[in-house]
Amino acid sequence: MKLNIVCIPGDGIGPEIVREAKKVLEAVAKKYGHEMQFTDILMGGASIDVHGVPLTEEAIATAKAADAVLMGSIGGDTNTSPWYKLEPSLRPEAGLLKIRKALNLFANLRPALLYPELAGACPLKEEISQKGFDMLIMRELTGGLYFGERKTIEENGMLKAIDTLTYTEEEIRRIAIKGFDIARKRRQKVTSVDKANVLDSSRLWRKVVNEVAKDYPDVTVEHMLVDNCAMQLVKDPAQFDVILTENMFGDILSDEASMVTGSIGMLASASLNDTKFGLYEPSHGSAPDIAGKDIANPIATILSAAMMLKYTFDLDEEATAIENAVKSVLKKGYRTIDIMSEGCNQVGCTQMGDLLVEEI
Ligand code: IPM
Ligand code: MG
């Protein structure tokens, strides 16, 4: 099979971790007889430095022409980087929001699971962590507060900022369908998270989710208020299978969920539209403080590449080969610094990539 993949190395540790993911993908291609073609595009700070904008139309066109996009991370230190002196629409994050919208990537899948080998890194009490957990946050990604009209005006000599939160039935329905579809392939449970005791958009969300649920009698649906969900994530994360939620709530809850795993350097994510196309990236950020030191954990990006093989290319066996390589390397005791524990073997970013290639 011929795979046409666009890579966005991006900023911070992005170029290092994408390099390792490419290496692993090449190894998979060699083993299973595929041909991978990689094309790099610039986004975020890397694009600002060259083009003055975080994402060019040309880069969007290149991404659109590919089968899938593999991204590292974008952005720098918000306190010190000159990128953050620019107006908001020219900052690195604007590139990410632009590509999400341009490619219609409305479904953001963020798995958060406790790796048994890394259970010691879980910050929760042992009585909670020993139950284990494996959830997937299905976050709506192209609507809500992120893309509503916003402005700052002056009223009676006072500044006033306005952000708007809107959702149409259709926007809710299509993400709900994605959530129920994936729950069917997992443990058949959807927890839809909203703030229906306050927000109209949440009341519509709940109504549409209930309508969609009728087509999935085999999937259990429950509704949970977002503040309660934030609490339940640390109290009893094992109760969750698929968490279905809107853009802003999903942004916040997915950071919380990844943190309770204790190993954010391991968590992958996918952003999908209604075709096979997807953008795949690690759940973590660009970690500018450790960039260029060859100590970053490339596993989240490598597992994102595995998600790409599975969701965009239907190459389940190849994806599993990567997942098994990760498990095996962990079992052998190799760890990057972020997941290091006593008695293990500490390795750098390149070395971790090499070990995974060897396994494959
Ligand atoms: C994320 C990030 C982005 C978001 C930022 C960088 C705009 O936090 O992917 O979760 O808020 O969506
Ligand atoms: Mg976020």
Side-chain angles (χ1 to χ4, degrees), residues 93 96-97 100 110 139 146 251:
E93 287 71 15
L96 184 56
L97 298 181
R100 285 174 181 169
R110 298 189 166 184
R139 168 188 176 194
Y146 276 67
D251 178 45

Side-chain angles (χ1 to χ4, degrees), residues 140-348:
E140 199 292 324
L141 202 60
T142 52
L145 273 174
Y146 276 67
F147 293 95
E149 196 195 327
R150 69 180 97 259
K151 60 184 173 192
T152 304
I153 55 172
E154 202 179 313
E155 217 176 65
N156 307 323
M158 176 109 72
L159 285 176
K160 178 169 161 181
I162 302 162
D163 292 290
T164 41
L165 167 47
T166 61
Y167 269 107
T168 66
E169 266 180 87
E170 193 37 44
E171 284 174 311
I172 302 168
R173 186 163 293 112
R174 63 182 184 178
I175 186 76
I177 290 171
K178 288 263 187 199
F180 279 91
D181 279 344
I182 204 146
R184 214 167 229 178
K185 294 192 198 145
R186 292 174 50 98
R187 300 192 309 279
Q188 296 89 36
K189 182 176 174 190
V190 168
T191 305
S192 176
V193 174
D194 61 37
K195 189 71 186 172
N197 53 349
V198 178
L199 303 175
D200 255 24
S201 55
S202 284
R203 288 188 271 266
L204 182 61
W205 182 277
R206 212 173 258 222
K207 175 172 178 281
V208 175
V209 168
N210 280 331
E211 284 165 15
V212 172
K214 288 193 189 123
D215 294 331
Y216 297 82
D218 48 326
V219 178
T220 312
V221 61
E222 65 175 18
H223 300 276
M224 192 178 276
L225 295 174
V226 62
D227 45 353
N228 183 27
C229 182
M231 194 167 78
Q232 296 299 328
L233 276 172
V234 290
K235 205 175 146 208
D236 179 19
Q239 70 183 286
F240 296 112
D241 179 18
V242 173
I243 292 182
L244 170 65
T245 193
E246 64 96 52
N247 205 346
M248 180 65 120
F249 297 158
D251 178 45
I252 299 166
L253 295 176
S254 63
D255 261 29
E256 186 188 359
S258 64
M259 212 53 219
V260 298
T261 69
S263 41
I264 183 164
M266 304 280 300
L267 302 178
S269 83
S271 303
L272 309 175
N273 61 21
D274 45 20
T275 70
K276 281 281 180 189
F277 185 91
L279 181 147
Y280 300 84
E281 56 169 318
S283 280
H284 60 72
S286 62
D289 51 322
I290 59 161
K293 295 186 179 157
D294 198 30
I295 58 170
N297 186 350
I299 294 180
T301 315
I302 290 164
L303 290 174
S304 302
M307 278 182 105
M308 175 178 82
L309 295 179
K310 195 189 277 176
Y311 290 105
T312 292
F313 299 106
D314 289 317
L315 297 173
D316 288 18
E317 198 185 330
E318 288 81 341
T320 308
I322 296 182
E323 288 160 6
N324 285 343
V326 169
K327 281 184 200 146
S328 168
V329 164
L330 290 179
K331 207 165 273 162
K332 288 180 182 166
Y334 294 106
R335 303 279 190 275
T336 43
I337 190 165
D338 55 309
I339 51 173
M340 184 60 190
S341 63
E342 229 183 276
C344 289
N345 227 329
Q346 192 172 317
V347 297

Side-chain angles (χ1 to χ4, degrees), residues 77-133:
D77 185 324
T78 49
N79 292 312
T80 58
S81 166
W83 300 327
Y84 297 93
K85 296 207 171 69
L86 300 167
E87 63 152 296
S89 70
L90 292 176
R91 292 179 197 166
E93 287 71 15
L96 184 56
L97 298 181
K98 194 169 170 186
I99 201 166
R100 285 174 181 169
K101 199 68 172 176
L103 302 178
N104 195 27
L105 304 172
F106 65 87
N108 184 212
L109 285 62
R110 298 189 166 184
L113 65 154
L114 191 67
Y115 283 85
E117 297 87 356
L118 306 178
C122 174
L124 301 175
K125 280 189 193 150
E126 212 184 312
E127 67 205 60
I128 301 172
S129 66
Q130 72 188 8
K131 287 208 294 193
F133 58 87

